[in-house]
Amino acid sequence: AALKVWLIAETGIAQAEAESSLLKEWTKQKNKYGNECWIIGQVNNKGEPHGVAKMISTDGYFIYEGQFVNWKMQGYGRF
């Protein structure tokens, strides 16, 4: 499969990184659609990806590595 590089508006990325803490171990969470994902990287105070993180769906359907703002993929990243 071809690697797709996503370029989305960078608004809020610097702020996201300043307001993040770091998950050093993979943590299982549900996204807003109820899908379970493994997360590692920067998270906000709710444990949502916020800053730079990696997300892998538990069914192996997708992997995203890049920038997030409150669970939303934003900025640079790749699927």
Side-chain angles (χ1 to χ4, degrees), residues 1-54:
L3 175 65
K4 294 182 180 179
V5 178
W6 292 79
L7 174 59
I8 307 170
E10 292 187 50
T11 308
I13 294 300
Q15 181 180 5
E17 292 175 356
E19 298 172 356
S20 301
S21 60
L22 183 63
L23 281 178
K24 295 181 181 180
E25 296 182 10
W26 288 97
T27 306
K28 189 187 291 187
Q29 298 184 23
K30 286 189 178 182
N31 65 15
K32 65 182 180 178
Y33 304 108
N35 301 322
E36 289 190 331
C37 300
W38 289 99
I39 305 290
I40 194 165
Q42 294 177 306
V43 295
N44 62 18
N45 60 359
K46 295 178 186 176
E48 301 169 332
H50 191 71
V52 178
K54 190 171 194 174

Side-chain angles (χ1 to χ4, degrees), residues 63-78:
I63 298 172
Y64 176 78
E65 179 177 33
Q67 298 172 323
F68 291 84
V69 174
N70 297 321
W71 236 164
K72 293 181 182 177
M73 295 174 256
Q74 187 169 353
Y76 294 98
R78 62 184 180 165

